[in-house]
Amino acid sequence: MSTVLLVGEDQLLLDTRAAVVRTAGVETVCCHAASALEVLADRRCEVVILCHSLPERLAAVLAEIIHKRWPRTRVLAVSSARMWEQFDARAAVDAVSSADPERLVLNTIELLGRREPATVQLNNRCIAVRHNAILH
């Protein structure tokens, strides 16, 4: 099973996002920025999701360090309305997602590089994902 690490400063928000991401059939781990690199050193995570609760500079630095130390780990930034569009850090991450739960799950699945279709249940709505196409 794939593991996704969620990094942010708001524990309630991280727990909520982790529950959403688990609908994609992945294991999740949550932590604050201070322990993110330690968690990555201890366990293999295919995707790291950087929450918009992180300061922009910290998120960019974390993404750069993650890519240097773990080049196969993909980094997804969750964007608020103001983040990542104004700050020139997009090059540090593999993808940027809105905070919309459905979009977050789809972007996570895409970064995991799944070849088989995945069916995701969100808000009593079932969506199937195959090779970056959304099939309702």
Side-chain angles (χ1 to χ4, degrees), residues 73-118:
T73 300
R74 309 297 302 270
V75 179
L76 173 65
V78 177
S79 175
S80 67
R82 62 172 170 53
M83 187 177 177
W84 299 99
E85 287 83 15
Q86 298 172 354
F87 182 63
D88 188 28
R90 293 189 104 178
V93 298
D94 296 297
V96 177
S97 177
S98 72
D100 173 70
E102 202 170 282
R103 181 66 21 217
L104 180 61
V105 169
L106 294 174
N107 285 326
T108 301
I109 290 169
E110 182 178 324
L111 285 180
L112 287 168
R114 289 200 178 152
R115 295 286 182 231
E116 75 281 359

